[in-house]
Amino acid sequence: MKLIQVSAFVGIGSNLGDARGHVQHALEQLAMLDKTTLTATSSLFRTAPLDADGDDYINAVVRLDTALTADELLQKLLALENAAGRERPYLNAPRTLDLDLLLYGQQNISSDSLVVPHPRMLQRAFVLIPLLQIDPFITIPGLGPAHKFVTDIAGQKIQKISD
């Protein structure tokens, strides 16, 4: 029996310790998830904290083809954050690793533990620019083409640091 695969997009960020190393390790871990294939990775980007404090972030976005449910994938992401030493002392605290489920196929999901599409993804250059690098024509369920939101984030500083 063939498992049904869904394309999911995950945002990755870190601004504590070896931020670049944390992001690169997360990429390796995401590539090893059960029932999941890492199919695309954006460049790494440096961004200033937005609605947060601390050092600059290293960010990326990946596309995963997965047979995990959205909730199963979320639990795997949270486990990877915890394994990386993620602490949540206050809202938007600096972090060793932040993994956000941005999109899960064309589904709209709203539960106590998960909202997809991610509610602030189109307001953040560190999500939108890497997402569009992977898929310039991606459509956000219920909102339309992602590229039409680029002007909304034009004032946010973002610097590509690697391919």
Side-chain angles (χ1 to χ4, degrees):
M1 181 170 104
K2 182 167 172 37
L3 297 173
I4 296 173
Q5 296 278 312
V6 172
S7 285
F9 288 83
V10 175
I12 306 167
S14 175
N15 77 331
L16 274 182
D18 178 10
R20 188 173 184 156
H22 291 306
V23 170
Q24 289 173 327
H25 184 69
L27 293 171
E28 294 166 6
Q29 296 298 305
L30 290 167
M32 295 189 303
L33 288 178
D34 292 340
K35 303 181 193 174
T36 301
T37 303
L38 177 67
T39 56
T41 303
S42 74
S43 299
L44 299 183
F45 292 87
R46 179 179 310 280
T47 60
L50 188 63
D51 300 328
D53 54 10
D55 295 335
D56 284 354
Y57 278 83
I58 303 300
N59 296 100
V61 169
V62 298
R63 181 178 57 223
L64 305 172
D65 286 349
T66 186
L68 297 171
T69 66
D71 285 325
E72 290 170 335
L73 181 55
L74 175 64
Q75 292 311 309
K76 301 275 186 191
L77 299 178
L78 292 172
L80 291 175
E81 286 182 349
N82 289 336
R86 169 81 188 260
E87 295 179 1
R88 300 169 192 271
Y90 55 90
L91 185 64
N92 296 326
R95 57 210 66 172
T96 53
L97 185 62
D98 186 28
L99 298 171
D100 289 326
L101 182 53
L102 305 172
L103 297 168
Y104 186 81
Q106 288 295 304
Q107 294 186 31
N108 284 293
I109 302 168
S110 183
S111 71
D112 290 342
S113 60
L114 181 62
V115 176
V116 174
H118 190 283
R120 293 172 304 283
M121 66 180 283
L122 298 175
Q123 302 165 7
R124 292 164 164 30
F126 63 81
V127 173
L128 190 55
I129 299 305
L131 178 68
L132 288 168
Q133 186 186 43
I134 292 174
D135 186 347
F137 303 105
I138 193 163
T139 299
I140 309 304
L143 299 171
H147 65 79
K148 76 178 188 179
F149 294 92
V150 170
T151 56
D152 296 343
I153 52 104
Q156 296 175 28
K157 183 181 169 195
I158 182 167
Q159 177 186 11
K160 182 177 159 187
I161 58 174
S162 79
D163 284 324

